[in-house]
Amino acid sequence: MRGTLLESLLRGPFTEKAPLGADGDIARMAAELDVSAQRRLGRSLSLRLVDAGSCNACELELNALSNAYYDLERFGLRFVASPRHADVLLVTGPVTKNMREALLRTHDAMPSPKWVVAVGDCATCGGLLGGGYACLNGAGDVLPVDLRIPGCPPTPTQLLQGLLALFAK
């Protein structure tokens, strides 16, 4: 017991080193997104996420945007719990028939202006399960989609680039 405790105190932590060079790009893109949101909306950008039947890989990457490495809330990007406070509706997964009504209600509860972003291959085209007995072919079959971010799953950097493209339109 003493040996294990002493060894754990003397040995360094098991953490990974931060990627080189990516931090500047992420900070630049996040600051650009905040400036675009302030110019277009007059405030920060609020996101509402709806999992319409995904495998949760896209949600893990979206949650990574809030971790200590990306920390995008410092640039005005934040997730909200209520659709009444959201500007952007992020949809992940192929829309299941059971989630169709909930997705429509969430979209209807959002104030204008509002944008819909399909995140990941499943939300853009249905993916592997699209067109099956329980799934529709993606978010575009239910809602008007303003932006599609492909990938299985898209990385946090790709997600940030996609949100920048949304305001570049």
Side-chain angles (χ1 to χ4, degrees):
M1 176 74 173
R2 282 188 205 169
T4 306
L5 180 61
L6 181 61
E7 182 182 333
S8 67
L9 290 173
L10 296 176
R11 182 182 48 216
F14 290 118
T15 56
E16 294 180 14
K17 293 182 180 178
L20 299 174
D23 193 31
D25 292 340
I26 291 166
R28 180 191 51 76
M29 284 189 293
E32 216 175 292
L33 180 62
D34 187 41
V35 168
S36 298
Q38 290 289 340
R39 190 177 329 115
R40 192 110 184 238
L41 298 171
R43 58 184 158 73
S44 298
L45 186 66
S46 300
L47 309 170
R48 173 70 174 122
L49 172 63
V50 173
D51 176 357
S54 77
C55 68
N56 290 334
C58 293
E59 283 81 6
L60 289 172
E61 297 300 322
L62 285 164
N63 285 333
L65 292 174
S66 298
N67 69 18
Y69 180 73
Y70 294 99
D71 190 21
L72 293 182
E73 195 159 329
R74 65 188 160 148
F75 299 108
L77 184 72
R78 63 189 177 117
F79 289 94
V80 293
S82 172
R84 286 174 172 64
H85 301 144
D87 305 309
V88 178
L89 176 61
L90 300 172
V91 182
T92 61
V95 180
T96 62
K97 291 180 180 177
N98 290 338
M99 281 299 294
R100 183 181 183 280
E101 184 67 28
L103 188 59
L104 287 171
R105 286 184 184 188
T106 301
H107 183 263
D108 292 342
M110 291 174 60
S112 293
K114 57 187 166 187
W115 296 274
V116 177
V117 177
V119 177
D121 290 340
C122 293
T124 58
C125 64
L128 194 61
L129 302 172
Y133 71 94
C135 294
L136 304 171
N137 280 329
D141 285 2
V142 180
L143 297 172
V145 174
D146 298 301
L147 178 70
R148 290 171 170 78
I149 303 175
C152 188
T155 64
T157 306
Q158 290 172 323
L159 293 167
L160 188 56
Q161 289 170 342
L163 291 172
L164 277 171
L166 182 68
F167 281 105
K169 283 185 167 184

